[in-house]
Amino acid sequence: MNSSDAIESTGKEILLSYRVRARNTSVDSENKIHDDAVAASYGFRGGLVPGITIYAYMTVPLVERFGLDWLERGSMQVKFHQPFYDGEEVIISGRADADSEPIKVSVTAERSDGTVCATALATIDDQSNWLGEPRLSDYPEASLTEFEFRPEPSRESLVPGTPLGTLTEKFDLPEAALLESLDERLPIYYGSQAVAHPFALLRLSNQTLMSNFKLGPWIHAASDVINQGVVRNGEEVSVRGRIRDRFERKGHQFVVLDVLVVANRDRVVQQVRHTAIYRPRAG
């Protein structure tokens, strides 16, 4: 079940809201942080609802209000502070300053008890290239290691500047099963003119990490996303990346990826700085 409250306008400020029941969309994933028993061994109450699922929920009021303007020319810097668990209500709230240049929207995702689990800053038409110029020449395609021979992540294997093996995927839209799992009802993702859901695009950054390294349980911590365009039915997408950084914080081992999502080998559709805890501290 989901619901969108009325979008209110108070002059300069636009208030956005959305409520949905969280679903653990990755119960069967290779990443066992989404498994109840494994997550409990790290100190969690159960399997974590994926960060990309929470990100998807946070995009709903943005797309409902701004449509293709955000999907083609918008951005979001999202951080995940606390997990959501399957079945919890997710309350998305946003405040947009319609008079700012570019338009800026602060977005939060919280539980019904008021715990803020994720925060984000979104924009529309920000031309500042704050993730750097997305040049294809800086992201050459590279071969993927065979899946069974993926290296385990470590300080030695996660060397900043190292290129990642390139993923390719052809989009068959609309993705009815995906949209149902997200309780997504916005019409822009349905029909003959459907565009790829933001979940499906950011999922590619997760898949790039998992395709290049043999991971144990790991946690999506943050993503900085700049949308450059949309993907439509039948388009082939390549996912190119490199390691930007790796570091330790509070016992967690982090990796940061720079990712470029390219449609039909020549059109950049998304630029991502993707941060993950590849080795969580013991629970």
Side-chain angles (χ1 to χ4, degrees), residues 188-209:
I188 198 168
Y189 305 121
Y190 292 88
S192 61
Q193 297 302 309
V195 300
H197 197 280
F199 175 101
L201 293 182
L202 190 56
R203 177 178 56 187
L204 296 172
S205 291
N206 276 355
Q207 291 174 336
T208 290
L209 178 60

Side-chain angles (χ1 to χ4, degrees), residues 117-128:
C117 296
T119 56
L121 176 66
T123 67
I124 297 94
D125 284 326
D126 184 352
Q127 303 297 318
S128 61

Side-chain angles (χ1 to χ4, degrees), residues 45 106 110 122 159 183 201 258:
R45 288 194 282 113
S106 60
E110 62 183 73
V159 178
D183 286 316
L201 293 182
D258 280 340

Side-chain angles (χ1 to χ4, degrees), residues 14 19 21 45 47 59 66 74 80 84 91 107 135 151-152 173 191 197 201 216 219 225 227 264:
I14 300 167
R19 292 171 182 253
R21 193 67 61 179
R45 288 194 282 113
T59 69
F66 299 106
F80 305 107
F84 282 97
I91 303 168
V107 186
R135 291 188 292 262
E152 293 187 2
L173 303 176
H197 197 280
L201 293 182
I219 300 170
V225 177
N227 296 322
N264 302 324

Side-chain angles (χ1 to χ4, degrees), residues 152-223:
E152 293 187 2
S154 65
R155 289 189 62 82
E156 292 70 34
S157 62
L158 298 172
V159 178
T162 301
L164 300 171
T166 303
L167 289 177
T168 59
E169 179 174 325
K170 189 172 183 178
F171 275 70
D172 184 10
L173 303 176
E175 295 182 280
L178 168 63
L179 298 174
E180 179 62 28
S181 74
L182 297 172
D183 286 316
E184 180 62 78
R185 298 292 180 264
L186 293 181
I188 198 168
Y189 305 121
Y190 292 88
S192 61
Q193 297 302 309
V195 300
H197 197 280
F199 175 101
L201 293 182
L202 190 56
R203 177 178 56 187
L204 296 172
S205 291
N206 276 355
Q207 291 174 336
T208 290
L209 178 60
M210 296 175 72
S211 296
N212 278 271
F213 296 96
K214 184 178 181 180
L215 300 164
W218 63 277
I219 300 170
H220 181 188
S223 289

Side-chain angles (χ1 to χ4, degrees), residues 33-213:
I33 203 66
H34 305 300
D35 175 84
D36 287 343
V38 174
S41 72
Y42 285 89
F44 298 107
R45 288 194 282 113
L48 277 59
V49 172
I52 55 173
T53 302
I54 304 306
Y55 164 78
Y57 298 154
M58 295 173 82
T59 69
V60 171
L62 290 169
V63 177
E64 187 174 31
R65 173 61 178 83
F66 299 106
L68 284 173
D69 286 345
W70 187 79
L71 291 169
E72 294 183 326
R73 304 186 306 281
S75 75
M76 184 185 287
Q77 297 168 269
V78 60
K79 295 182 179 180
F80 305 107
H81 310 290
Q82 296 286 336
F84 282 97
Y85 300 101
D86 191 72
E88 289 187 316
E89 185 178 39
V90 183
I91 303 168
I92 307 299
S93 301
R95 291 178 177 270
D97 183 350
D99 285 350
S100 65
E101 286 289 343
I103 295 173
K104 295 179 181 178
V105 188
S106 60
V107 186
T108 61
E110 62 183 73
R111 300 189 189 122
S112 57
D113 65 3
T115 301
V116 175
C117 296
T119 56
L121 176 66
T123 67
I124 297 94
D125 284 326
D126 184 352
Q127 303 297 318
S128 61
N129 288 329
W130 44 273
L131 284 181
E133 189 71 29
R135 291 188 292 262
L136 287 174
S137 59
D138 292 339
Y139 291 83
E141 294 188 349
S143 298
L144 273 173
T145 302
E146 290 187 36
F147 196 74
E148 60 269 30
F149 298 121
R150 293 169 297 166
E152 293 187 2
S154 65
R155 289 189 62 82
E156 292 70 34
S157 62
L158 298 172
V159 178
T162 301
L164 300 171
T166 303
L167 289 177
T168 59
E169 179 174 325
K170 189 172 183 178
F171 275 70
D172 184 10
L173 303 176
E175 295 182 280
L178 168 63
L179 298 174
E180 179 62 28
S181 74
L182 297 172
D183 286 316
E184 180 62 78
R185 298 292 180 264
L186 293 181
I188 198 168
Y189 305 121
Y190 292 88
S192 61
Q193 297 302 309
V195 300
H197 197 280
F199 175 101
L201 293 182
L202 190 56
R203 177 178 56 187
L204 296 172
S205 291
N206 276 355
Q207 291 174 336
T208 290
L209 178 60
M210 296 175 72
S211 296
N212 278 271
F213 296 96

